[in-house]
Amino acid sequence: MKLNTKPKFTETTHEGAPAARMTPEQALRRSVMSCLLWEREFYEDGEDIAGRIERLCGEVPPFLVSNLAREARSSGLRHVPLLLLCGLIKRGNGALVAETIEQAIQRADELTELLAIYWRKGKTPQVLSLGTYSPTEERR
């Protein structure tokens, strides 16, 4: 019986060294809690980090994304929780989203920052079609 066996790593770091495999939840937590969003780091561009966080939000259950957004905000991070909120908004579940927004947004200007992050890739607001309306039309 061999006790000391060499682990077989299939993942690598940015330098090419062997690395242990992480679950999507672990990878999301590592990316969120160790970055300043959209700022270049030694190995990665900030845009790459934001893209990875967005991708991982879709792979992790919504309640974990919600918990991580709250934890990141309570740790003093401002923009990463907003990016997590955008990932949560895209997945739906209105009650969880509303509760998370209430707890993660602590300043008035963060609502506009949330909208800016949500629409930064050309997103447009969804308008309910309730019929046609013309501003010149008389109200009856």
Side-chain angles (χ1 to χ4, degrees), residues 73-135:
R73 187 60 182 112
S74 67
S75 297
L77 298 173
R78 286 192 55 206
H79 292 97
V80 177
L82 300 178
L83 184 63
L84 290 170
L85 281 172
C86 288
L88 197 59
I89 290 168
K90 291 175 188 173
R91 295 183 67 185
N93 192 346
L96 181 64
V97 172
E99 181 182 318
T100 308
I101 288 174
E102 178 186 355
Q103 293 176 359
I105 293 185
Q106 298 175 356
R107 297 170 31 150
D109 65 332
E110 289 178 342
L111 283 172
T112 56
E113 289 180 21
L114 176 63
L115 289 175
I117 291 170
Y118 184 77
W119 290 337
R120 79 182 185 287
K121 292 184 180 177
K123 299 229 184 281
T124 56
Q126 295 180 357
V127 179
L128 295 175
S129 177
L130 300 175
T132 58
Y133 171 76
S134 171

Side-chain angles (χ1 to χ4, degrees), residues 1 6 18 27 31 39-40 48-49 51 58-59 62 69-70 72-73 83 90 104-105 108 111 118 123-124 139:
M1 180 169 135
K6 186 174 182 178
S31 296
E39 291 189 20
R40 175 134 176 82
D48 296 340
I49 295 168
E59 297 176 16
R70 292 179 201 151
R73 187 60 182 112
L83 184 63
K90 291 175 188 173
I105 293 185
L111 283 172
Y118 184 77
K123 299 229 184 281
T124 56
R139 292 185 183 228

Side-chain angles (χ1 to χ4, degrees), residues 53-61 65 87 91:
I53 290 171
E54 288 178 322
R55 178 181 53 80
L56 289 169
C57 278
E59 297 176 16
V60 174
V65 176
R91 295 183 67 185

